[in-house]
Amino acid sequence: MLSCAAAISYSDKTMKPLFFVAALPLFASGCASTLPPDVIASGDLAASQAQVRPLRYTSPVSGYTHRVPVDPQPWRNQNDAQTPEGDAS
């Protein structure tokens, strides 16, 4: 019973500073002297000097290769086939 009361009083003591730390930036941002600048697009985009590459269509399945399920192979043979030639040391 004593440990339960100690846990409750401990959580009450640590909750107040955490609430203050979370509320302080919100309060300070409300006291800002200026608003952030508006981000808007320019009205005359046709006259801009930006270089834009032309768009080219590419199919979303252009690199697809059909694969079918195969039976399991012994892993040692596949591992030996992929090892580099030469001495390991």
Side-chain angles (χ1 to χ4, degrees):
M1 181 108 177
L2 182 62
S3 64
C4 182
I8 291 173
S9 68
Y10 176 75
S11 66
D12 289 342
K13 290 178 183 176
T14 59
M15 189 62 170
K16 291 177 185 175
L18 291 176
F19 178 74
F20 180 71
V21 169
L24 182 63
L26 293 173
F27 179 73
S29 66
C31 298
S33 62
T34 60
L35 295 175
D38 291 333
V39 178
I40 58 171
S42 173
D44 193 14
L45 294 178
S48 72
Q49 300 296 325
Q51 298 292 326
V52 179
R53 292 185 292 167
L55 296 177
R56 187 179 67 186
Y57 175 76
T58 56
S59 174
V61 293
S62 62
Y64 174 74
T65 55
H66 180 69
R67 297 176 189 220
V68 294
V70 296
D71 290 329
Q73 302 283 327
W75 64 269
R76 187 171 301 276
N77 293 343
Q78 292 182 2
N79 193 23
D80 291 342
Q82 293 179 9
T83 56
E85 296 296 324
D87 190 19
S89 58

